[in-house]
Each structure stands twice: as C-alpha cells, then as structure tokens.
Amino acid sequence: MSPVLQLLSARARERSAPISSMRSWVRTVAGTMPLVLDSPHSGVNYPADFGYACDLQALRRAEDTHVEKLYDFASWLGVGWVEALFPRSYLDVNRNATEIDIDLLDQAWPDLVETDPAALAKVRLGKGLVWRLTDEGLPIYERKLSVGEVRARIDNYWMPYHEAVQAAIEAAHAQHGYSIHLNCHSMPAVASSHATEFPGLVHADFVIGDRDGSTADPALSRLICDHLRSLGYSVAYNHPYKGVELVRRYGEPARHRHSIQVEINRKLYMDEATLETHAGFDRLRRHLRSVVEELLQTDPR
C-alpha cells in the first residue's frame, strides 16, 4: 500500500471529526494528505459595510452556491480545505490585489494597478478585485468607494484567504514532496452577459483549467477530464475558463505544486432560479468524491 493510502486508511480508523478553524471570514480544515481544496466563491455571509444598491437576488446569482456542500466529504478523507464565507461580489479573492477597477473609486488608487491588457479582462467586465457590475451587467453601487474602504477589504478578506490557501499547500507539499490543489467553482448553464468574454455560451458539465498547462502537469488535468468523462459528463479543457489568480499564484508544476480549477455546471445539482438543490446533488457529490479518491492515489512526480 502506498504511503498516501496508508495515511488515508489510518485517518479512516481514527473516527474523530476533522478539526475546523475559523479566521474571521475564512474557514479552514487542516489536512494530512497531499491534496488541498479551496472554495473562494461560495460565501453567503454579506458584510454589514457592503453598501450595495442592487437587488440582493442579483448578487446571489454570482455565488458558487452549495459548492462547499458538494465537497463536504473532503476533510473526512484528510484533504485540506479552505473556504471563503463572504461573497465574491464584495471582494473576489480569485483576483490579484492589483486588479483594481479605478472607475469604482472616489480618488486615485495610490498602490500598484494592473496594466497588462490580458490580466485586465475581468476588470473590463466589471469583475475586478471589487466588483462594479453583476453577472447581468447591473451596477452594484450607487456610490464611489473610498481607497480606505477597498484597502480594508484587501487586508481583512483577501490577505487572510490567500494566507490560508498558501499555508495549506505548503503543509501538504512539505509532508509529501508534492501537492495537488483543486480550486473549486460552479458556473451557470449559460454564460451571462458580463460573466465571461463568451456571453451566451452553453457550458459543458465541467470545465477543467490549468492555464494551458502552466499551473499543473497537463497529464494530471487530463486524468481528471478522463475520469469525469468515464462517468458520463461532458468536459471542456481550458475553455472558456483557464483558471485565474488562485491557480496562477500557487501552481508551480516544475516544483511539484499542481493547481487546477474545476468548474461545475450548476444545472447538475441545483435550480438556478430558486438556488435550491435538486435530485442530482447526491449523485454529483458521489462522483466528485470519486475524483478526489482518484487523485489521492495519484503521485504526479
């Protein structure tokens, strides 16, 4: 039996609950395996100082609703877990802190601002570090935000989340000599007007992204794609979602640090109008567990 499977078997025999910790707006569960999962966009706790002016339901459609529940088995397998409890529309941790939408501010931003046109694609859609527009293109605010307000969101939300993800990956890598990081998301069945650069696109069941092989060994990404296809799902690879900041920042395949974005079509498990789960939820959850178990038996070195 491989060392990883021995650890997994020992973990299963312990019969004790995984230890969860809360750092303000970030929930973490320490892992013992080389696999780390994070859910940056499933948060539903809206900070009191958000000050949004649009309809709450419009904001809620931006949530990766129920993703944390789809993977709630992970910690019992010894897999590290990091979860944002705040909504992505308030502060999107899957952006670099330099992806500032200057049109949203009441004065000039004094810190670094992204200038690369490719990196600014999300900002142009109104989906920078702090969102300006909903997925449907509705303005979120009827006011300008202050520099101090945005800096506070970076300090209190962006930094703790990234510190937690980095720490989890570092711990997994230090223990096993390699790490596999799955960045967990969901997507609407059809792309909204301001959600991506491909509005109206009918999504596959899954989109697996590794930024064209730059954040993970493509063989590892193909393993996930093939596993999902064997279960009957349609799977796209690096289109229309290649992965953004969280895989870009932490994926270093040359150093045996693999980061892969996993997008799940919401039609597979929920009603997008009511945000309620449907009968497909349990089946999908079982299949996601099989993906995780496959990765726990895979040493990509």
Side-chain angles (χ1 to χ4, degrees):
M1 182 181 291
S2 72
V4 166
L5 288 181
Q6 288 174 348
L7 263 174
L8 183 55
S9 298
R11 179 84 181 181
R13 290 194 299 269
E14 288 176 3
R15 298 179 182 275
S16 59
I19 298 174
S20 173
S21 68
M22 204 82 69
R23 183 181 172 186
S24 184
W25 294 87
V26 179
R27 176 176 175 264
T28 63
V29 182
T32 58
M33 310 303 282
L35 186 58
V36 173
L37 274 58
D38 85 291
S39 179
H41 292 160
S42 56
V44 298
N45 298 333
Y46 284 67
D49 66 353
F50 195 156
Y52 59 87
C54 65
D55 179 66
L56 176 60
Q57 197 65 15
L59 288 180
R60 294 221 57 201
R61 283 194 290 273
E63 299 167 5
D64 286 355
T65 313
H66 306 303
V67 163
E68 80 288 356
K69 301 182 185 72
L70 284 169
Y71 292 97
D72 64 4
F73 58 82
S75 57
W76 290 98
L77 298 177
V79 173
W81 176 259
V82 182
E83 172 190 348
L85 304 179
F86 52 91
R88 67 191 298 196
S89 52
Y90 177 77
L91 187 288
D92 196 334
V93 292
N94 204 21
R95 305 286 184 267
N96 197 329
T98 60
E99 291 180 61
I100 299 293
D101 191 332
I102 58 176
D103 292 337
L104 190 56
L105 303 178
D106 65 0
Q107 57 184 296
W109 182 250
D111 303 324
L112 288 176
V113 176
E114 184 62 64
T115 58
D116 177 31
L120 286 170
K122 295 294 187 180
V123 176
R124 288 192 295 272
L125 289 168
K127 302 295 181 55
L129 179 69
V130 177
W131 284 23
R132 177 169 47 87
L133 303 174
T134 68
D135 283 337
E136 294 77 25
L138 299 173
I140 293 175
Y141 302 96
E142 290 180 344
R143 62 187 179 91
K144 297 287 188 178
L145 275 60
S146 70
V147 167
E149 189 174 3
V150 175
R151 275 179 167 169
R153 295 188 191 189
I154 294 171
D155 291 344
N156 298 325
Y157 298 86
W158 192 93
M159 291 184 66
Y161 191 85
H162 279 267
E163 287 168 358
V165 172
Q166 182 176 12
I169 292 172
E170 292 286 353
H173 190 274
Q175 184 172 355
H176 299 281
Y178 71 94
S179 59
I180 301 173
H181 164 225
L182 294 187
N183 181 226
C184 305
H185 297 264
S186 69
M187 58 187 173
V190 180
S192 300
S193 63
H194 287 67
T196 75
E197 294 182 282
F198 305 94
L201 180 68
V202 177
H203 290 136
D205 293 332
F206 283 85
V207 179
I208 305 303
D210 59 14
R211 296 180 68 88
D212 298 317
S214 66
T215 66
D217 185 337
L220 192 59
S221 300
R222 286 195 298 270
L223 176 71
I224 298 173
C225 292
D226 291 344
H227 185 94
L228 290 168
R229 289 179 182 129
S230 75
L231 295 171
Y233 295 106
S234 61
V235 183
Y237 180 34
N238 281 319
H239 180 77
Y241 305 110
K242 296 178 184 291
V244 197
E245 182 64 15
L246 281 156
V247 297
R248 185 202 68 80
R249 182 173 288 264
Y250 301 112
E252 298 179 89
R255 298 179 60 203
H256 307 300
R257 300 167 186 260
H258 305 273
S259 287
I260 299 170
Q261 180 172 284
V262 179
E263 290 274 4
I264 304 171
N265 196 315
R266 293 172 192 157
K267 72 178 183 182
L268 296 175
Y269 69 92
M270 65 175 274
D271 183 315
E272 293 188 66
T274 66
L275 306 184
E276 297 296 326
T277 59
H278 58 54
F281 180 92
D282 290 337
R283 176 178 181 271
L284 176 61
R285 184 176 176 275
R286 288 195 303 272
H287 288 163
L288 290 173
R289 178 168 180 147
S290 74
V291 171
V292 168
E293 290 174 339
E294 177 80 8
L295 291 173
L296 288 173
Q297 298 181 63
T298 302
D299 185 336
R301 289 174 293 186

